[in-house]
Amino acid sequence: MPASPSSSAQAAREAVARRLRDLRREAGLTVVQLAAACGWHYSKTSRIENALTGPSATDIRRWCAATHAEDQAQDLVVQSINAESMYRQWRDQVRSGLRHIQESRTRISRETECFRMYSSSLVPGLLQTEGYALAVLGMAAGIHDLPVDDSAEAARARIERSRIVHEQGHRFVVVVEEPVLYCQVADQDAMAAQLGYLLTAGALPAVSLGIIPMAARRSHWPEETFHVYDDRLVSVELVSAEVNVTQPGEISQYLETFERLRRMAVYGADARALIVKAIDALR
């Protein structure tokens, strides 16, 4: 089982915090003295050293100047930026609107040759119909209490991005849990259209669609939804945040987990039978 992605992000933050604390101690400064040299309250120094507050680039440069370690400032700035980018809180992401999030993922999608997508909750975005996407994104707008609901525009942007499924140069290995087919996030017509599209998408040459039956004897428990982009990036969806994993060792763990989940899934006629069964249940 991969380490908790939120723990992974926190570990990256803590590595920066430890290095800053070590610099203070090596310089022979107390928490109060370091704070005075940097021009802020000592409680901020404590929060940074305990990884409760992520330091800004300016904070790090002041810290390094105060500890006579200016030569380490740039490396620590880069390390801190990487740590913070791993853990991106949803409320920060949605501040610019849901459409912005969809459009921001266009480049990584274009650059990816092999998509590996696992979902235990919803149909993955690249296989969603517009009606289903509108229902999901409308729900997200309500949950995050957006001042402007741009879910309709976001749904259209998601569908535009999903056209990549029909383009050459990409492969899509998709594994979903069977309950995904029954999670009624949209009305009956939209659900029927979505499930019907899964039948179509699953037959595309570039798409491998696997469904893990509820009755399957499990060799691995259900995981949080995650997407793997080639072997460069894993995006994990949590309640409070999206975690981006870039460390090769952790990516390998996700790839191994994906393979275990993939081997439990059924494909072809067996997968289509499960989808048809879910469609029949809508009537």
Side-chain angles (χ1 to χ4, degrees), residues 11 17 84 101 109 115 206 246 249 273 277:
E84 292 305 312
I101 294 175
S109 296
F115 295 79
T246 57
K277 180 182 176 183

Side-chain angles (χ1 to χ4, degrees), residues 24 29-40 45 49 63 66-67:
R24 174 182 63 78
L29 299 176
T30 66
V31 168
V32 174
Q33 290 171 330
L34 187 283
C38 292
W40 59 57
T45 301
E49 289 193 352
W63 193 298
T67 57

Side-chain angles (χ1 to χ4, degrees), residues 1 177 212-213 215-223 256-265:
M1 175 181 174
E177 301 282 348
I212 301 177
R217 177 67 172 89
R218 302 197 69 98
S219 57
H220 195 95
W221 47 81
E223 290 284 3
E256 291 169 4
T257 296
F258 185 84
E259 283 303 303
R260 287 195 292 271
L261 292 164
R262 187 185 64 80
R263 287 195 292 267
M264 288 188 292

Side-chain angles (χ1 to χ4, degrees), residues 210-277:
I211 301 173
I212 301 177
M214 288 184 283
R217 177 67 172 89
R218 302 197 69 98
S219 57
H220 195 95
W221 47 81
E223 290 284 3
E224 65 276 346
T225 292
F226 65 90
H227 295 174
V228 185
Y229 300 86
D230 290 326
D231 57 356
R232 297 177 290 122
L233 170 69
V234 178
S235 174
V236 189
E237 297 178 9
L238 304 178
V239 171
S240 61
E242 175 185 65
V243 176
N244 292 322
V245 177
T246 57
Q247 292 297 321
E250 291 185 71
I251 291 174
S252 294
Q253 286 183 300
Y254 273 98
L255 289 172
E256 291 169 4
T257 296
F258 185 84
E259 283 303 303
R260 287 195 292 271
L261 292 164
R262 187 185 64 80
R263 287 195 292 267
M264 288 188 292
V266 296
Y267 299 85
D270 291 335
R272 290 193 295 273
L274 291 177
I275 296 172
V276 170
K277 180 182 176 183

Side-chain angles (χ1 to χ4, degrees), residues 4 10 28 75 83 86 91 96 99-100 107 117 128 147 168 197 207 215 220 223 237 281:
S4 166
Q10 184 63 17
D75 284 347
M86 289 178 66
R91 66 173 179 267
S96 300
R99 178 181 177 180
H100 171 74
R107 191 182 74 173
M117 297 177 277
Q128 289 181 6
Q168 294 184 347
Y197 179 66
V207 176
H220 195 95
E223 290 284 3
E237 297 178 9

Side-chain angles (χ1 to χ4, degrees), residues 109-115 164 167-172 206:
S109 296
R110 293 287 179 193
E111 294 175 349
T112 300
E113 293 183 6
C114 181
F115 295 79
I164 196 171
E167 298 176 3
Q168 294 184 347
H170 307 281
R171 293 187 298 114
F172 305 86

Side-chain angles (χ1 to χ4, degrees), residues 3-275:
S4 166
S6 55
S7 297
S8 174
Q10 184 63 17
R13 286 174 171 174
E14 290 172 356
V16 174
R18 282 196 301 273
R19 185 60 192 137
L20 290 173
R21 183 181 64 237
D22 289 346
L23 288 177
R24 174 182 63 78
R25 289 175 174 174
E26 289 166 7
L29 299 176
T30 66
V31 168
V32 174
Q33 290 171 330
L34 187 283
C38 292
W40 59 57
H41 194 271
Y42 67 86
S43 63
K44 178 175 178 177
T45 301
S46 180
R47 291 197 306 273
I48 290 175
E49 289 193 352
N50 287 287
L52 299 176
T53 297
S56 68
T58 299
D59 292 340
I60 291 174
R61 291 191 174 96
R62 287 184 181 179
W63 193 298
C64 288
T67 57
H68 307 292
E70 291 92 338
D71 59 325
Q72 298 188 43
Q74 187 56 34
D75 284 347
L76 277 167
V77 167
V78 172
Q79 188 177 353
S80 181
I81 290 173
N82 289 340
E84 292 305 312
S85 69
M86 289 178 66
Y87 194 100
R88 303 171 60 204
Q89 290 190 335
W90 289 120
R91 66 173 179 267
D92 294 332
Q93 290 197 62
V94 301
R95 195 170 292 159
S96 300
L98 296 171
R99 178 181 177 180
H100 171 74
I101 294 175
Q102 298 305 312
E103 293 176 339
S104 69
R105 294 172 178 171
T106 299
R107 191 182 74 173
I108 184 66
S109 296
R110 293 287 179 193
E111 294 175 349
T112 300
E113 293 183 6
C114 181
F115 295 79
R116 297 175 179 86
M117 297 177 277
Y118 167 77
S119 178
S120 56
S121 55
L122 298 172
V123 173
L126 290 180
L127 296 184
Q128 289 181 6
T129 60
E130 187 167 349
Y132 186 94
L134 179 59
V136 170
L137 293 168
M139 194 181 302
I143 290 171
H144 296 292
D145 195 23
L146 297 188
V148 177
D149 182 353
D150 65 341
S151 54
E153 294 85 352
R156 287 193 289 271
R158 174 171 287 183
I159 297 307
E160 182 62 31
R161 185 164 59 92
S162 70
R163 297 186 192 281
I164 196 171
V165 174
H166 301 276
E167 298 176 3
Q168 294 184 347
H170 307 281
R171 293 187 298 114
F172 305 86
V173 185
V174 184
V175 177
V176 300
E177 301 282 348
E178 187 182 357
V180 167
L181 307 179
Y182 295 89
C183 185
Q184 296 195 26
V185 296
D187 62 35
Q188 186 172 356
D189 289 342
M191 287 299 302
Q194 176 62 76
L195 294 173
Y197 179 66
L198 285 182
L199 292 173
T200 301
L204 294 173
V207 176
S208 169
L209 175 60
I211 301 173
I212 301 177
M214 288 184 283
R217 177 67 172 89
R218 302 197 69 98
S219 57
H220 195 95
W221 47 81
E223 290 284 3
E224 65 276 346
T225 292
F226 65 90
H227 295 174
V228 185
Y229 300 86
D230 290 326
D231 57 356
R232 297 177 290 122
L233 170 69
V234 178
S235 174
V236 189
E237 297 178 9
L238 304 178
V239 171
S240 61
E242 175 185 65
V243 176
N244 292 322
V245 177
T246 57
Q247 292 297 321
E250 291 185 71
I251 291 174
S252 294
Q253 286 183 300
Y254 273 98
L255 289 172
E256 291 169 4
T257 296
F258 185 84
E259 283 303 303
R260 287 195 292 271
L261 292 164
R262 187 185 64 80
R263 287 195 292 267
M264 288 188 292
V266 296
Y267 299 85
D270 291 335
R272 290 193 295 273
L274 291 177
I275 296 172

